[in-house]
Amino acid sequence: MSQQTVVQLVFGVMAALSLGGAMGVVMARTVFVSALWLILSFVGVAGLYITLGAGFLAVIQVLVYVGAISVLILFAIMLTEDVMGDEHPNNGQVGLAIILLTPLIFLLGKWGFTANWPVKAAAILPRSGLSVDAATAAALPGALKTGDAFLVPDSVAYLGRVLMTEHFLAFEVVSVVLLVALVGAIVIARD
Amino acid sequence: MMMELMPVWLQAGAGNPLREFLLENILTGLSEAWRPLVADLLTWSLTCALIMGIVQVTMLYCTLLERKFVGRIQDRIGPNRVGYWGLLQPFADMVKMLTKEDITPAVAHRSVYNLGAILVVPPAIMVFAILPLSLGLVASDLSVGFLYFISVASVVIVPIFMAGWGSRNKFALIGAMRAVAQTVSYEIPQVLSVVGVLLLAGSLSTGDIILAQGTVGSGAQASQGFPGGWFILTQPIAFVIYLMATTAEVERTPFDIPEAESEIIAGYHTEYAGIKFGLFQLSQYFMTIASAALGSVLFLGGWMSPFPGGLLQTLGPLNLGFFWMGAKTLLLILGFMWLRGTWPRLRSDQLMGFAWKVLVPLSLANLLITALLGWLLHGWWNASGAQGLGRSAVVVVAFLAANGLLLFGAMLGFGRLRAKGGRPDIRFEATGVGSSVEGAA
Amino acid sequence: MPHIPSILTHFSPELILVVGMLLVLTYDLWVRGREGLQANLAIITTVLALVATLVLWVTMPGSHPVFEACGPGAKAGTCRPGAFISDDFTHFFRVLGLLGTLLVLISGQTYMRGRTAFKGEFYALVLSAVLAMNLMAGANDLIVIALAIEFLSITSYILTAFLRHDGLSIEGGLKYFLYGSITSAAMLFGMSYLLGIGGSTSVPALAAIARNPELAQVQGYANIMLPALALVLAGIAFKIALVPFHQWSPDAYQAAPTPVTAFLSVGPKAAGFAVLIRLFVGSFSSLSASWLGTMGLLCLLSMVVGNVAALTQGNVKRMMAYSSIAQAGYMLLGVVSLGGKTLMGLDSVGAVLFFILTYVFTNLGAFAVIIAVEQATGSAELGAYRGLMRRSPLLAVSLVVFFLSLVGVPPLAGFVAKFAVFGAAVTGGQVPLAVVGVLTGVVSVVYYFGVVREMFFGASEEGQPGPIRVGMGTTFVVLVALLMTLVVGLWPEPFITLANNVAHSIAPALQAAGGH
Amino acid sequence: MAMIPLWWYLMVAAGLFTIGLYGALVRKNAVSVLMGIELMLNAVNVNAVAFWRYVSPTAKAAAGADRPVGDFVVGMDGQVFAVVVIALAAAEAAVGLAMVIALYRSRRSFNLPQMDQLQG
């Protein structure tokens, strides 16, 4: 159980980072500081991906969100805003937004908590090569027999392969979307 | 090599001799629930401490080496007063840094200013996690190794931004913006140049990439993996692009515009003094060493002996991987230093033009020919059943020829552009703040 | 690997568009001395894609999954269904999108010529928008749907803000962008829950779960699937500009370069309805009892708000924005009257398709006139139309015809379309909505008549402005639109058959059931 | 036996989404609104990856399986979805910030209340 404690601890830290960072984003007075909190939140989310075993996504999260998007935001702030912050960064809808969003968070919590997600596979999470135990086999009716080998492939190589087969269209379209965004951003922002 | 991030963190290698030793001899008193965990954490910490110790010492002496080496290039002697041949100079510098007054400007945004200096170091340390110092001596050989390096290295720009903004000094701000623009731009050719290597190695893991470079010649081992030997042989253009982009990434001369003393005082760390200034220097040296080490992993075979057949890979019971890795890394670091001693600084717009108009197209073209050639050659050896040294020779010659053609074509293309006046602009014009006094030859 | 030959055939219109787009983008690089012909290249590309679509439609009818793929773990013969489906329904929207774009390109060519230096980029973006619309028409996987919607959105934002020296254009673009991004984030969030329910983003897999009530009950999905679908609906409603997801549309319409406005008023709407129908009617019809109410509300609000808000507009582009919101409400009326059948033999989905068909031509015709007027007077305010009858009888008369068709006056195309939709609503059990539709249709006469009054009876203060010279392109587009408006109105049978066939291809089960 | 229950992740995602939406609704400044949107997109990704890890395989078996689950293979849809969303977020950010900069050039402000030239 000790390992479980540690994993849960790691999760707690990462969740706190991402949620705390998010709170910082909406609370900070200065746009720049807001952006720094945003980066903290992104790092926390990357940590969550690590606890989920999605190492590639964690790395991509840091590379794209921290290394690119945040930097873009920081650049935009530097190019536009004066260095000092605004005393009143919010518009007049704070109360309204809180009234609207309080039910939303309860609703979302209810969906996540009460739905009977087929999580039996949570146990899956064993590493490749282990064999299926009786409990898992029972939890996955029809899918697995006791003694079958788990095949959780090296997720990077597997993800690459899936992007080239099942999700080939999505992969190709993403490249066109990025090209279009690049062209558009240059056209709009160019002096 | 096929491990995901989490398992590596929590189970620093079952079968790790250090771990076994700890389990059997040291941690006997602990309860069964915690024993493996503590062993893991200890093993992991000790490995990291060892690696970090090596890196720290290297870094300290890199500063001395740089001053000596550049001194020689410029016909000076360099530091020679503290200790024999100046050997204690780094420590004297350290003491000086630590005892200097710690200044925070009155108008600075205090927390951002201080955090900027502190946060610039961790990413520079974290990148060493995937660099194998020798066979098996790696903090964690992630399956996403190379991407991990790039992404963690890209985080460094955030503290730089914080430093520039938090100082509330326009020179610091300009320095930070230049630094970030430069780093972001050169990241692209840096990654694109390496993609060819990744393609040929078929993996992102640093361990796999090194192993892929060792399959020259015959034998069962050679039938799998890429038979071209070190990637510098098959990817020379990529190697050069990588070195240039890395020089810009770590902001060394001739790409040290963010801290051009003659233009904007000292860039984003203008307002920093004492140990906080030292942290920026530390981070920069760490990144230089790490990039050089990554370069030797990607292109020079990492810890592998340069002699055929694994000659001098071991000396009796001693694994010489560490020595080879160190030697190759040092070679690249000396290259960086040589550049610094010789070349003047580029101008800001020239620098960006060089990245976008020269390096990016070139690395894209290189990627294209690498993919095509790799595919054709793979088909060829699968069809002909070619093996052994002959196959390696064919592969290397084919890639060298393709690279030569690419270089020729690129020179022709850029020459045409230059004739039409559309070249990256390298003229001398004193245009306001951005102009460089030295200019470029 | 995906099956390459099937991609090369059934995906060829999109491939042509991609290649054409790249060529247009890099035109300046290859061609020296003949600058500014990107528009022609774009027109050629569109025509080629159109021809390819028609050839596909005629020679290979039926449903063809493209990008079918077998994952590495799959056994032979059990492949993942294609992420893109090329069937009659896709062809229908491909043809509409490409034809609409063609008309926009022809009528807007001279307008853009003097206004931007980035011609290649502009036409490349237009082509990529068509590409995105085609993807939306055939997408059969949540990832591709999300991607296509976002693709079209991003392209639309850029096109709206394209005249960047015009502060108005950028402001409209930024508003469009912010509203759009929030809505699409919500849509993606809903999709992430659908992913959790299905364990897969494949729409057929999700539809299978939705059709299986026991599974949905046992696993407690029912409570989550509907809100998740509602979030997806919000994303689509944003693209269609249904109330209350419409706030962006008047601003974006007014701010965008007018050819882009013309494009926005038909392209994203048609593509949005394609996704809406394929997803909700095609795949999740088993849940119709739950989503009908929400959609009915959207429909009601769109018809009322669109028509009422249009009354007070002084800018014709803005007025057309509200008018098109109302028209979208009528289209949605056809969707919610699921199972209805009209006198003409059209079923409800067919009625929607028929409505979209007429709407595309009528609206584009109207916009061709608006572009020509703005070209001549430099303004889209109501005052610019003063005395248009004297200045250019062709423009004025045809604009009246298009407006009459939009109102729904016989014997024009719009009348048949509205008749079909209202008929479907009455037989499909949505009588109150049909009544509201008819009443708001009467209201719409008022604002259209405002423009007509200016054109015919408005006396200009500053003397007599000269006649407007109408370019070849505009004349062509106006005449084509006029022709279609009249032909569809007078002889609707072939188009009804067409719409019905297409509708059957998307919801065969629905037809077999013969009702609700 | 799950080390971390799935709903923990879903809660974090719900929190991120709500906070992001709050930021997008109440902020005056276009860049801050964009940051709120980025938080919402992160929530989407947390959901997607969590579902990838916990749900994908069984649901395939339950839904009549478009792919047989012989040797156990984890479906990658969740990760692909997340990758696509990250790419879209990058594209959106680029376009949005370009607009912010262009607007700042003409108005010297990027506060939304100042954007009032378009009104009907």
Side-chain angles (χ1 to χ4, degrees):
Chain A
M1 283 301 110
S2 64
Q3 200 183 354
Q4 177 166 9
T5 320
V6 172
V7 172
Q8 291 184 344
L9 210 64
V10 172
F11 172 88
V13 171
M14 292 308 167
L17 275 186
S18 49
L19 288 176
M23 286 307 286
V25 173
V26 295
M27 293 296 169
R29 283 255 179 83
T30 320
V31 197
F32 189 88
V33 177
S34 230
L36 294 181
W37 283 111
L38 185 70
I39 292 169
L40 188 71
S41 181
F42 288 157
V43 171
V45 171
L48 288 177
Y49 294 159
I50 293 177
T51 63
L52 283 164
F56 178 75
L57 271 177
V59 169
I60 289 297
Q61 166 90 5
V62 174
L63 188 62
V64 177
Y65 273 113
V66 180
I69 295 182
S70 306
V71 171
L72 216 54
I73 290 176
L74 290 176
F75 243 108
I77 294 169
M78 296 263 197
L79 286 175
T80 50
E81 183 76 325
D82 2 332
V83 182
M84 292 308 293
D86 189 345
E87 281 304 300
H88 303 285
N90 293 340
N91 57 24
Q93 301 171 5
V94 178
L96 186 69
I98 291 176
I99 292 170
L100 279 176
L101 294 180
T102 315
L104 177 69
I105 184 91
F106 278 111
L107 194 70
L108 290 178
K110 188 169 153 278
W111 291 1
F113 185 56
T114 57
N116 193 6
W117 302 104
V119 185
K120 306 130 193 177
I124 302 220
L125 307 193
R127 285 166 264 304
S128 263
L130 294 186
S131 57
V132 175
D133 57 17
T136 314
L140 291 169
L144 291 170
K145 297 188 297 294
T146 310
D148 277 356
F150 275 114
L151 184 70
V152 183
D154 175 12
S155 64
V156 189
Y158 188 47
L159 182 64
R161 198 185 295 206
V162 167
L163 280 176
M164 277 293 142
T165 51
E166 288 179 33
H167 296 286
F168 185 62
L169 177 61
F171 181 74
E172 294 298 328
V173 174
V174 162
S175 58
V176 182
V177 174
L178 288 174
L179 174 70
V180 165
L182 184 72
V183 170
I186 291 173
V187 167
I188 291 172
R190 207 179 138 137
D191 246 333
Chain B
M1 271 154 245
M2 290 222 182
M3 276 183 275
E4 293 165 49
L5 281 167
M6 194 66 188
V8 177
W9 279 20
L10 292 179
Q11 302 189 346
N16 184 330
L18 181 64
R19 180 175 182 270
E20 301 302 318
F21 175 79
L22 287 171
L23 275 177
E24 281 162 28
N25 300 315
I26 313 277
L27 301 172
T28 43
L30 278 171
S31 81
E32 211 36 56
W34 288 94
R35 222 158 63 100
L37 188 74
V38 174
D40 284 339
L41 286 177
L42 271 181
T43 319
W44 186 61
S45 315
L46 286 173
T47 317
C48 289
L50 176 65
I51 292 173
M52 277 327 296
I54 294 166
V55 172
Q56 300 269 11
V57 173
T58 318
M59 178 259 157
L60 281 178
Y61 278 93
C62 261
T63 61
L64 180 64
L65 182 68
E66 174 142 28
R67 295 170 73 176
K68 283 272 183 193
F69 191 67
V70 174
R72 290 291 157 155
I73 289 174
Q74 295 167 346
D75 212 6
R76 297 181 285 113
I77 297 174
N80 61 349
R81 291 305 158 108
V82 194
Y84 176 71
W85 203 65
L87 276 180
L88 293 180
Q89 184 67 40
F91 296 97
D93 286 345
M94 207 161 74
V95 170
K96 191 184 86 177
M97 289 271 187
L98 286 171
T99 51
K100 264 193 169 177
E101 189 192 353
D102 177 29
I103 304 169
T104 305
V107 290
H109 192 292
R110 190 166 284 273
S111 52
V112 172
Y113 170 84
N114 285 326
L115 271 177
I118 294 166
L119 290 180
V120 81
V121 181
I125 294 176
M126 281 170 70
V127 291
F128 284 97
I130 54 115
L131 292 172
L133 300 196
S134 177
L135 178 56
L137 190 59
V138 53
S140 67
D141 188 0
L142 304 175
S143 61
V144 288
F146 172 71
L147 271 183
Y148 169 87
F149 185 99
I150 295 296
S151 68
V152 173
S154 75
V155 173
V156 174
I157 48 191
V158 174
I160 287 178
F161 244 142
M162 292 166 76
W165 184 82
S167 300
R168 292 276 200 273
N169 171 327
K170 73 175 100 166
F171 292 112
L173 197 60
I174 293 172
M177 300 210 8
R178 284 183 176 192
V180 174
Q182 172 178 333
T183 315
V184 169
S185 307
Y186 277 89
E187 230 169 60
I188 296 164
Q190 189 189 20
V191 175
L192 279 179
S193 66
V194 177
V195 173
V197 168
L198 302 176
L199 211 63
L200 297 180
S203 172
L204 289 167
S205 137
T206 44
D208 285 351
I209 291 172
I210 292 177
L211 287 177
Q213 300 177 59
T215 46
V216 182
S218 54
Q221 203 194 5
S223 57
Q224 35 187 288
F226 182 69
W230 292 3
F231 285 125
I232 191 177
L233 295 176
T234 45
Q235 295 281 302
I237 290 182
F239 180 60
V240 176
I241 296 175
Y242 174 81
L243 285 188
M244 289 183 186
T246 302
T247 318
E249 280 281 292
V250 297
E251 290 151 22
R252 293 184 60 92
T253 323
F255 300 115
D256 60 342
I257 288 158
E259 46 202 82
E261 299 92 336
S262 46
E263 298 171 21
I264 49 173
I265 313 177
Y268 51 85
H269 44 58
T270 301
E271 295 290 353
Y272 288 88
I275 186 62
K276 281 186 242 160
F277 174 72
L279 290 176
F280 282 103
Q281 296 296 90
L282 185 79
S283 157
Q284 200 188 7
Y285 268 103
F286 273 162
M287 285 308 296
T288 310
I289 296 170
S291 305
L294 185 68
S296 58
V297 164
L298 291 173
F299 293 97
L300 300 178
W303 40 256
M304 267 192 252
S305 143
F307 300 104
L311 189 64
L312 284 187
Q313 184 69 54
T314 54
L315 197 66
L318 196 66
N319 188 337
L320 285 186
F322 181 71
F323 169 73
W324 293 123
M325 180 72 188
K328 289 166 185 173
T329 308
L330 196 63
L331 194 69
L332 291 184
I333 292 176
L334 282 176
F336 289 142
M337 290 174 182
W338 190 3
L339 282 180
R340 172 167 174 187
T342 321
W343 281 20
R345 181 180 302 133
L346 285 165
R347 212 174 57 206
S348 196
D349 57 325
Q350 293 169 344
L351 178 100
M352 301 300 265
F354 185 62
W356 289 102
K357 295 178 192 164
V358 179
L359 290 187
V360 169
L362 200 57
S363 51
L364 274 175
N366 177 58
L367 178 57
L368 188 69
I369 61 160
T370 306
L372 271 177
L373 209 54
W375 180 58
L376 286 176
L377 286 173
H378 198 267
W380 165 69
W381 78 61
N382 273 352
S384 68
Q387 269 194 355
L389 272 178
R391 181 175 72 165
S392 299
V394 169
V395 169
V396 170
V397 168
F399 269 101
L400 280 180
N403 270 281
L405 274 178
L406 175 61
L407 197 62
F408 182 68
M411 288 169 102
L412 218 61
F414 289 128
R416 261 186 68 196
L417 275 182
R418 178 187 298 232
K420 289 190 178 166
R423 61 183 167 137
D425 198 5
I426 314 189
R427 276 167 299 165
F428 300 92
E429 272 176 42
T431 48
V433 192
S435 69
S436 161
V437 180
E438 299 105 317
Chain C
M1 271 304 289
H3 191 233
I4 301 289
S6 84
I7 294 175
L8 287 181
T9 50
H10 296 295
F11 205 58
S12 54
E14 287 73 29
L15 295 180
I16 291 171
L17 283 174
V18 171
V19 173
M21 178 198 129
L22 294 176
L23 284 180
V24 170
L25 196 57
T26 52
Y27 179 86
D28 286 337
L29 205 59
W30 314 118
V31 183
R32 307 236 166 211
R34 292 166 63 90
E35 267 81 32
L37 293 180
Q38 288 98 335
N40 299 10
L41 191 53
I43 290 173
I44 293 170
T45 309
T46 319
V47 170
L48 282 180
L50 195 58
V51 170
T53 310
L54 291 174
V55 168
L56 278 181
W57 200 353
V58 172
T59 57
M60 284 180 270
S63 175
H64 301 274
V66 198
F67 297 99
E68 225 172 8
C70 312
K75 294 200 172 68
T78 52
C79 292
R80 187 192 175 92
F84 185 91
I85 288 190
S86 172
D87 56 9
D88 291 356
F89 187 76
T90 314
H91 292 316
F92 179 80
F93 280 99
R94 272 172 172 164
V95 169
L96 273 190
L98 287 165
L99 263 182
T101 310
L102 199 58
L103 297 183
V104 170
L105 283 174
I106 293 172
S107 62
Q109 206 177 344
T110 35
Y111 182 95
M112 290 312 291
R113 195 166 290 156
R115 284 180 169 76
T116 178
F118 296 100
K119 290 190 191 63
E121 286 79 357
F122 180 79
Y123 292 109
L125 283 168
V126 171
L127 288 181
S128 64
V130 192
L131 173 66
M133 280 156 48
N134 282 4
L135 282 172
M136 277 168 81
N140 197 32
D141 186 294
L142 284 186
I143 293 179
V144 180
I145 292 175
L147 199 48
I149 291 180
E150 280 287 276
F151 187 10
L152 185 54
S153 302
I154 289 174
T155 319
S156 311
Y157 308 149
I158 300 169
L159 283 173
T160 305
F162 201 83
L163 303 178
R164 69 217 150 86
H165 292 304
D166 180 358
L168 230 54
S169 179
I170 293 280
E171 183 185 319
L174 192 60
K175 280 183 178 172
Y176 190 8
F177 168 78
L178 290 176
Y179 282 121
S181 301
I182 295 173
T183 329
S184 66
M187 177 186 74
L188 291 169
F189 196 61
M191 283 185 175
S192 75
Y193 278 105
L194 287 180
L195 170 73
I197 293 167
S200 155
T201 52
S202 168
V203 172
L206 277 168
I209 292 182
R211 272 195 298 273
N212 188 343
E214 291 114 62
L215 193 69
Q217 276 313 313
V218 169
Q219 305 204 320
Y221 290 157
N223 296 332
I224 298 165
M225 196 155 196
L226 290 172
L229 277 176
L231 286 176
V232 176
L233 178 64
I236 300 170
F238 169 81
K239 284 264 57 123
I240 303 176
L242 292 169
V243 183
F245 304 99
H246 70 291
Q247 290 97 335
W248 61 273
S249 121
D251 288 345
Y253 275 47
Q254 187 188 343
T258 313
V260 173
T261 312
F263 180 79
L264 287 183
S265 74
V266 291
K269 267 197 175 61
F273 268 100
V275 172
L276 187 78
I277 294 172
R278 194 186 280 281
L279 206 57
F280 284 87
V281 180
S283 298
F284 295 113
S285 53
S286 56
L287 301 175
S288 65
S290 314
W291 53 254
L292 274 180
T294 317
M295 275 196 205
L297 189 66
L298 291 182
C299 165
L300 175 75
L301 287 174
S302 301
M303 290 189 298
V304 172
V305 174
N307 278 322
V308 171
L311 290 174
T312 59
Q313 301 306 322
N315 182 304
V316 176
K317 277 158 89 178
R318 233 180 144 78
M319 185 205 88
M320 287 303 286
Y322 284 109
S323 144
S324 66
I325 290 170
Q327 300 286 334
Y330 298 131
M331 295 177 207
L332 194 64
L333 183 55
V335 179
V336 294
S337 49
L338 203 62
K341 252 191 181 356
T342 63
L343 297 174
M344 297 169 287
L346 268 173
D347 54 62
S348 61
V349 176
V352 181
L353 298 181
F354 186 80
F355 196 105
I356 294 174
L357 179 86
T358 62
Y359 170 78
V360 165
F361 288 105
T362 315
N363 218 44
L364 280 182
F367 264 106
V369 176
I370 294 172
I371 293 171
V373 171
E374 196 181 338
Q375 183 88 349
T377 64
S379 156
E381 297 296 319
L382 209 49
Y385 290 79
R386 195 158 295 158
L388 187 65
M389 185 58 200
R390 259 178 290 113
R391 303 182 65 188
S392 171
L394 168 72
L395 292 185
V397 170
S398 45
L399 190 58
V400 172
V401 173
F402 296 134
F403 279 168
L404 288 177
S405 175
L406 284 175
V407 173
V409 172
L412 299 171
F415 166 73
V416 188
K418 271 197 176 163
F419 186 70
V421 169
F422 291 145
V426 169
T427 48
Q430 302 284 7
V431 182
L433 281 179
V435 172
V436 173
V438 173
L439 288 179
T440 53
V442 174
V443 172
S444 73
V445 175
V446 179
Y447 57 82
Y448 290 127
F449 182 70
V451 182
V452 175
R453 193 180 50 202
E454 285 292 331
M455 289 194 298
F456 284 83
F457 312 115
S460 63
E461 300 96 28
E462 64 274 8
Q464 296 279 345
I468 294 175
R469 190 172 293 126
V470 184
M472 285 260 292
T474 309
T475 316
F476 174 75
V477 172
V478 169
L479 288 180
V480 167
L482 267 182
L483 191 71
M484 284 301 288
T485 308
L486 289 170
V487 166
V488 176
L490 295 170
W491 189 44
E493 283 82 13
F495 299 97
I496 287 175
T497 322
L498 177 79
N500 247 354
N501 286 343
V502 173
H504 284 241
S505 79
I506 186 71
L510 208 69
Q511 314 307 323
H516 187 37
Chain D
M1 164 204 78
M3 293 215 269
I4 302 170
L6 170 61
W7 65 271
W8 289 21
Y9 287 102
L10 300 186
M11 286 298 185
V12 174
L16 275 179
F17 185 81
T18 318
I19 296 172
L21 187 54
Y22 172 80
L25 289 180
V26 306
R27 284 294 170 135
K28 268 203 303 210
N29 172 318
V31 176
S32 299
V33 174
L34 188 71
M35 289 192 234
I37 294 166
E38 296 297 340
L39 284 176
M40 290 161 79
L41 291 175
N42 262 279
V44 173
N45 283 350
V46 170
N47 256 357
V49 180
F51 284 132
W52 163 75
R53 188 72 190 193
Y54 285 81
V55 170
S56 37
T58 8
K60 273 197 193 335
D66 50 348
R67 174 200 302 171
V69 202
D71 276 343
F72 190 83
V73 175
V74 178
M76 292 302 266
D77 289 10
Q79 279 210 28
V80 174
F81 190 75
V83 169
V84 167
V85 170
I86 289 177
L88 287 177
E92 264 187 4
V95 173
L97 292 170
M99 284 185 197
V100 169
I101 290 172
L103 192 71
Y104 184 80
R105 287 216 184 97
S106 60
R107 303 271 171 89
R108 293 286 131 197
S109 159
F110 54 35
N111 278 354
L112 293 174
Q114 263 95 319
M115 288 184 217
D116 48 4
Q117 295 197 4
L118 284 169
Q119 263 168 13

